Amino acid sequence: MQTFFILVKTPRTYCAANTEDLEAVIDHVQEMFSSAPLMAAGVSMGGMMLANYLGRKGRETSLRAAAVFSAGWDVFECTASLEKPFNRFLFNSYLTSCLQASVNRHKQVLEKLFDIDSVMKAKTIREFDERFTSVMFGYSTNEEYYRDASPCLKLKSIQIPLLCLNAADDVFSPGHAVPVEAAKQNPNIAVLLTAYGGHIGFLEGVWPRHNTYMDRVFRQYIQAVFQHANQLVKL
């Protein structure tokens, strides 16, 4: 099987805080299907981007509802979890190398603005973000980027129904950092925190061969959203 890569044409990639591309896609789909009720779902970093988008747009979104799965709510806590010795060995180093491989693949374009040699020396995701991500998106410090990328700081501004599924044993988004109490202050948000499930796992049964708990919850949520689309507009 062959693998194909599309080369970027401008020295810009993506980050958890930037939602411009997501907004453009949602607006485009709404323009094409103006009478159709729309909802969106995001997984992991995609969930972070979607939650950040909802927090920034408030009521100014064409989405009727949304769902996020295994999102990282507090980037500082997520990063700290991944820097624990075992997690750093098992996940952090590998993910950092994957990010570096992506940068290296587009080196000819990116090296015009960034110190690629320094980026390739990063040992952790935090170091990668300090040398590349936060610089690319114009943050004065990496801490400023992590604050902007943390959806937990935007929960009160979300104005459409949002279902959030996380697992307490998710090393990428630790249970203690899931904003359960903050979500209680916004009637638009429902947080479902399971004891187990890992990161985008949520397997069920001794021999998990079928749909996961996440699949079942999402299917039920989608059905409810579109069955009651007209009522959601009035909320």
Side-chain angles (χ1 to χ4, degrees):
M1 184 177 71
Q2 290 181 301
T3 301
F4 297 93
F5 296 106
I6 298 175
L7 296 178
V8 298
K9 297 181 179 180
T10 58
R12 175 169 167 168
T13 55
Y14 63 92
C15 77
N18 186 272
T19 60
E20 293 176 4
D21 289 344
L22 174 60
E23 183 172 349
V25 169
I26 292 173
D27 290 345
H28 178 67
V29 173
Q30 181 61 48
E31 184 177 345
M32 292 183 65
F33 306 97
S34 58
S35 61
L38 301 181
M39 71 169 293
V43 179
S44 190
M45 181 180 281
M48 297 169 67
M49 295 174 70
L50 178 55
N52 282 326
Y53 161 82
L54 295 175
R56 292 194 176 109
K57 297 293 286 186
R59 275 287 181 185
E60 300 300 315
T61 176
S62 55
L63 298 177
R64 300 287 180 84
V68 296
F69 303 101
S70 297
W73 292 99
D74 184 325
V75 181
F76 294 98
E77 294 295 333
C78 296
T79 306
S81 175
L82 287 171
E83 289 175 346
K84 292 180 178 179
F86 182 73
N87 294 339
R88 177 168 177 163
F89 170 76
L90 196 61
F91 302 111
N92 204 328
S93 297
Y94 172 72
L95 291 174
T96 302
S97 66
C98 289
L99 290 169
Q100 290 169 323
S102 179
V103 170
N104 193 53
R105 190 159 57 244
H106 306 290
K107 181 178 180 179
Q108 287 185 330
V109 175
L110 296 174
E111 65 183 357
K112 298 174 183 178
L113 295 180
F114 307 103
D115 185 349
I116 302 301
D117 290 338
S118 176
V119 173
M120 299 305 290
K121 293 177 182 178
K123 301 298 182 184
T124 65
I125 293 175
R126 186 193 299 270
E127 290 183 359
F128 178 88
D129 287 335
E130 289 173 344
R131 303 176 187 197
F132 185 72
T133 313
S134 61
V135 177
M136 171 176 286
F137 287 91
Y139 292 98
S140 57
T141 64
N142 196 57
E143 288 71 24
E144 182 184 355
Y145 162 51
Y146 278 7
R147 280 193 298 273
D148 198 29
S150 297
C152 65
L153 302 177
K154 305 179 184 69
L155 290 183
K156 64 181 181 181
S157 300
I158 294 175
Q159 298 297 313
I160 65 169
L162 174 65
L163 175 67
C164 313
L165 176 62
N166 282 83
D169 65 344
D170 184 350
V171 299
F172 290 87
S173 184
H176 70 269
V178 177
V180 175
E181 294 303 318
K184 291 180 180 179
Q185 308 304 314
N186 187 336
N188 296 300
I189 301 173
V191 174
L192 182 53
L193 182 62
T194 61
Y196 305 102
H199 191 66
I200 325 173
F202 302 102
L203 303 178
E204 296 182 294
V206 179
W207 301 104
R209 299 180 179 180
H210 303 290
N211 289 341
T212 67
Y213 179 70
M214 182 176 71
D215 296 324
R216 292 198 294 114
V217 169
F218 187 44
R219 185 167 56 248
Q220 293 170 11
Y221 184 61
I222 289 176
Q223 185 176 15
V225 166
F226 288 115
Q227 281 183 345
H228 303 282
N230 292 331
Q231 290 95 315
L232 291 177
V233 175
K234 301 175 184 178
L235 291 178

